[in-house]
Amino acid sequence: MTPDTQTYLTNAIRSIPDYPKPGIIFRDITTLLGDARAFRRAVDELVQPYAGLKVDKIAGMEARGFILGGAVAHQLSAGFVPIRKKGKLPHETVRIAYSLEYGVDEMEIHMDAVKPGEKVILVDDLIATGGTAVGAVQLLRQIGADVVSACFVIDLPELGGRQKLEALGVEVRTLVEFEGH
């Protein structure tokens, strides 16, 4: 990615101080999503490293991962797998508890969403502490997925999420980094 593209994408993301609590700077991608050119460039940059590779599925975490993951899946001619909060999927599911920056939650996936050995890329808007992404990788692996990579628009590097995924043997790609959280 060129420095100009990185700057363009960074500028398309709104920063909201003291949300959801004092001292936190919330990185809001709705401004990027609402800008057709920025959205297209972000999706193109997420897709580019995998163009020409055999990818079976893109997994996206609720909710912004659905938007980005669906677009990436379309571009790569791959299927899309939603990873949802507990109780939202209608068929047989597998569930995992995971740590959030502010507590614990549970997410689930349909048991038959991925066939054993299928190559899957995890997509979401942001990697912070990594709790949600690590839980998603564990969930995908539990149903037999080969998680080849995880990609995010935003990385908050001082929170250590990237390192947690890399420790699981998952390649991590991000488009922009922000200091402070």
Side-chain angles (χ1 to χ4, degrees):
M1 176 171 33
T2 68
D4 286 345
T5 298
Q6 192 168 28
T7 299
Y8 181 76
L9 294 176
T10 299
N11 291 336
I13 297 165
R14 177 173 31 211
S15 296
I16 302 171
D18 298 320
Y19 183 84
K21 65 181 193 177
I24 302 294
I25 302 172
F26 185 81
R27 306 304 176 172
D28 177 18
I29 68 157
T30 62
T31 48
L32 180 145
L33 297 173
D35 177 334
R37 187 169 171 238
F39 185 32
R40 175 64 188 221
R41 286 176 87 175
V43 171
D44 287 348
E45 291 296 331
L46 292 171
V47 166
Q48 188 278 328
Y50 312 105
L53 298 178
K54 175 67 174 122
V55 176
D56 299 297
K57 303 275 173 70
I58 302 299
M61 295 177 282
E62 192 167 342
R64 291 169 298 275
F66 291 1
I67 298 164
L68 295 164
V72 169
H74 172 75
Q75 292 292 3
L76 291 174
S77 297
F80 178 77
V81 176
I83 299 174
R84 303 229 37 203
K85 293 180 180 173
K86 180 176 96 175
K88 300 290 185 181
L89 292 172
H91 193 56
E92 293 180 61
T93 61
V94 176
R95 183 180 304 154
I96 192 166
Y98 63 99
S99 297
L100 293 164
E101 191 170 353
Y102 313 109
V104 177
D105 206 350
E106 291 181 274
M107 63 184 150
E108 56 190 18
I109 191 170
H110 279 140
M111 290 180 68
D112 60 358
V114 175
K115 293 180 180 90
E118 282 190 316
K119 295 191 179 312
V120 177
I121 297 171
L122 181 65
V123 176
D124 205 4
D125 65 324
L126 179 137
I127 181 81
T129 62
T132 307
V134 166
V137 167
Q138 292 169 337
L139 198 56
L140 287 161
R141 287 179 173 169
Q142 189 175 338
I143 62 170
D146 175 10
V147 182
V148 296
S149 188
C151 54
F152 306 89
V153 173
I154 301 168
D155 185 7
L156 302 179
E158 75 265 12
L159 297 180
R162 171 189 284 268
Q163 290 79 9
K164 290 175 186 171
L165 286 176
E166 289 171 342
L168 292 175
V170 176
E171 170 193 68
V172 178
R173 296 182 183 272
T174 60
L175 303 184
V176 299
E177 290 185 1
F178 283 98
E179 296 302 322
H181 68 285

